[in-house]
Amino acid sequence: MGEFDLIAKYFVRPAGQGPRRAVVGNGDDCAVLAPAAGMQLAVSTDTLVEGRHFLSTVDPARLGHKALAVNLSDLAACGAKPLGFTLALTLPRVDEAWLAGFARGLLDLADEHDCELVGGDTTAGPLAIGVTVFGEVPAGGALLRSGARPGDELWVSGHPGEARLALEAFRGTLHPSLPAEAFDATRLAMECPEPRVALGLGLRGLATAAIDVSDGLLGDLGHILRRSGVSADVFAGALPLSPWLAARRRHEQLDCILAGGDDYELIFTAPPERRAAVEALGACLGLPLSRIGRMGRMDERMGEIAPATGGPPQSAPAGPRLRLWEGALAEVDAGADPGEGLGAPLANRWTSFDHFRPDLREAP
């Protein structure tokens, strides 16, 4: 099977099948998209490489789903509605059974979100998948990392940490190991994440800033802190625990939730007066939304904090600040300072994934 036969068989939709929004779609030198009047174009690109982002044993339909899902997650974090996407697929060989499963997973998710495949490229080489996704958002209405303000509350969707728990099960580092039911559920979270597109659309006008969790909750939160010029207090007692994580030891729970990554949940900030509206949105979507912290001013978060393990105080680093606490949020709701009566602070020992720093790389 040649390159163009492959494209025609697996990635060109028959007439009447799938969304048709592009002015010019798949099959020309360029796709032509026309956002609706008053809308701006949101664009994001992600690449998945075998051995780095996914295991060679992954079901091809799940891989097709994930290849698009991680890009739709970026649109969700921006509050954008999906329009279309391109696919750059590098294959070591033509395996028709693999291609059929991959295309099915990819296009089923595309249809679910009314997102049209409008073009791309295929080539021979080590297995790698590049997707560029396009969405639309009202002019000036995109959710950005730079909008958080002191006093905002910090939220996270779903149950972050399950993907990392599955990865550690694959690595054989969990003692005791996961029961079969837990492994199947967490493996599904790792291999077939659900992009929170509906949540992102619902957060327009509610959230002040947002980002998706791809490299670890704390690491991705750090991007909001830097871009917004704020600090944050995060409360471990408020972190959501799935049934599978709830059964693990505390250090495993924190490792998976705070630094696991590959979750594609949304972290977002919103003013306290919008709390009821955020909770109502979560109830409407049937999606848990957990309030895990609050944002503060830079000058209110400087100073020294004694690490939970004892020893000398940690000096506050220059730049945006993040403080971790073992406690919950009830006392903060009552107006108490996070340092009063909330238990010991947690020393931040967690780092997020980074492709080019050997000390922060973690292959599947």
Side-chain angles (χ1 to χ4, degrees):
M1 179 179 291
E3 176 184 359
F4 297 104
D5 300 317
L6 182 158
I7 295 170
K9 182 171 183 178
Y10 294 105
F11 300 110
V12 175
R13 315 297 297 276
Q17 187 178 100
R20 298 282 177 176
R21 181 183 290 108
V23 178
V24 177
N26 203 346
D28 228 296
D29 286 311
C30 289
V32 180
L33 303 177
M39 305 295 275
Q40 294 176 326
L41 202 62
V43 183
S44 181
T45 298
D46 269 299
T47 302
L48 301 183
V49 178
E50 184 179 27
R52 173 57 58 188
H53 299 97
F54 60 90
L55 303 171
S56 61
T57 55
V58 66
D59 179 271
R62 289 188 175 186
L63 181 58
H65 173 106
K66 185 171 182 176
L68 181 58
V70 302
N71 285 270
L72 292 177
S73 180
D74 286 330
L75 291 186
C78 193
K81 178 183 177 181
L83 293 177
F85 70 102
T86 61
L87 170 67
L89 184 60
T90 303
L91 296 169
R93 62 190 179 280
V94 175
D95 180 335
E96 292 202 52
W98 187 95
L99 280 164
F102 177 84
R104 182 175 68 255
L106 179 86
L107 297 175
D108 282 352
L109 184 64
D111 289 351
E112 181 182 336
H113 292 282
D114 196 29
C115 190
E116 182 180 358
L117 176 58
V118 297
D121 186 37
T122 57
T123 189
L127 182 57
I129 306 149
V131 170
T132 297
V133 72
F134 308 90
E136 63 180 12
V137 64
L143 295 175
L144 303 176
R145 302 175 182 182
S146 56
R149 298 293 179 263
D152 282 354
E153 296 178 328
L154 177 65
W155 299 77
V156 67
S157 66
H159 293 103
E162 288 191 338
R164 178 56 178 267
L165 191 61
L167 178 59
E168 295 306 324
F170 273 111
R171 289 172 167 170
T173 66
L174 298 180
H175 305 287
S177 59
L178 285 180
E181 182 184 9
F183 177 67
D184 289 343
T186 56
R187 181 179 184 177
L188 182 65
M190 179 180 79
E191 295 179 344
C192 205
E194 288 301 322
R196 303 304 187 187
V197 173
L199 174 60
L201 295 176
L203 288 174
R204 291 179 185 170
L206 290 180
T208 52
I211 190 172
D212 73 332
V213 182
S214 55
D215 296 327
L217 189 152
L218 292 186
D220 290 319
L221 173 59
H223 295 303
I224 290 180
L225 302 188
R226 284 187 287 275
R227 294 297 297 271
S228 295
V230 295
S231 64
D233 290 293
V234 176
F235 300 90
L239 295 172
L241 290 175
S242 72
W244 321 119
L245 271 173
R248 308 304 300 184
R249 292 172 292 181
R250 187 59 171 159
H251 75 87
E252 289 179 329
Q253 294 172 356
L254 294 178
D255 287 349
C256 288
I257 295 175
L258 296 178
D262 221 20
D263 294 306
Y264 304 100
E265 298 292 351
L266 298 189
I267 309 169
F268 61 94
T269 59
E273 58 268 23
R274 295 178 183 167
R275 186 187 307 170
V278 171
E279 292 172 340
L281 175 61
C284 179
L285 297 175
L287 176 64
L289 300 179
S290 302
R291 191 166 51 94
I292 62 170
R294 70 175 187 180
M295 317 307 284
R297 297 184 184 280
M298 287 287 294
D299 57 358
E300 292 179 352
R301 298 291 175 258
M302 307 307 288
E304 294 185 335
I305 299 174
T309 54
Q314 298 174 319
S315 296
R321 279 294 320 230
L322 172 65
R323 299 198 301 187
L324 300 175
W325 304 92
E326 187 61 67
L329 282 162
E331 292 86 348
V332 176
D333 289 342
D337 182 83
E340 298 175 0
L342 287 186
L346 292 174
N348 186 1
R349 59 180 175 81
W350 293 278
T351 54
S352 60
F353 180 87
D354 189 310
H355 285 283
F356 298 105
R357 287 185 58 184
D359 56 323
L360 300 183
R361 278 199 312 241
E362 296 197 34

